Amino acid sequence: MQGILYEESTIWLFLLVTVVMGGWAAWMMARGIALGWRPYWQCVLALLLLGVAVRFIHFALFEGTFLSPHFYAVDTVVLLLIGSAGFRATRARQMTTQYRWLYERAGLFGWRPRASA
């Protein structure tokens, strides 16, 4: 997997920087965008920029390559997955809390119209 998913000597650096630190930032960033009732495309733009920041951390702290399209894509896909989950979970909670007479929860990431009485 080294050279495909991560370039460091150990997977633990990839998991720490990209999945834990970057994933937490992606979740919180997407959550903030959803709480502001902004559209999903703004979340995607923010996560693309976060991918650059995560790439910079790999470069500055662990001697990774900064301008690597391959590893930028890997990091950004991980961030997009985590951020999209955060956006969708927050939006589902918003819809069922704000409009509880119209919608009910349908799992962690969804909502559905309430059944008419």
Side-chain angles (χ1 to χ4, degrees), residues 12-110:
W12 298 111
L13 293 176
F14 170 77
L15 293 175
L16 174 69
V17 174
T18 301
V19 178
V20 175
M21 292 171 44
W24 177 80
W27 183 278
M28 296 307 288
M29 188 179 292
R31 182 179 178 272
I33 290 170
L35 286 174
W37 290 95
R38 292 186 293 242
Y40 177 70
W41 66 266
Q42 290 183 359
C43 179
V44 172
L45 289 179
L47 293 172
L48 290 173
L49 290 174
L50 183 61
V52 173
V54 167
R55 226 28 266 151
F56 180 75
I57 291 172
H58 282 288
F59 166 73
L61 297 179
F62 305 110
E63 299 176 1
T65 55
F66 182 58
L67 298 174
S68 170
H70 172 77
F71 293 118
Y72 169 75
V74 170
D75 290 343
T76 304
V77 165
V78 171
L79 298 176
L80 281 169
L81 289 172
I82 296 170
S84 296
F87 183 88
R88 188 67 182 183
T90 303
R91 184 55 50 91
R93 186 176 48 80
Q94 280 180 306
M95 293 298 287
T96 57
T97 303
Q98 187 77 18
Y99 305 107
R100 66 180 151 266
W101 66 92
L102 290 175
Y103 302 112
E104 62 187 5
R105 284 302 278 261
L108 181 61
F109 301 114

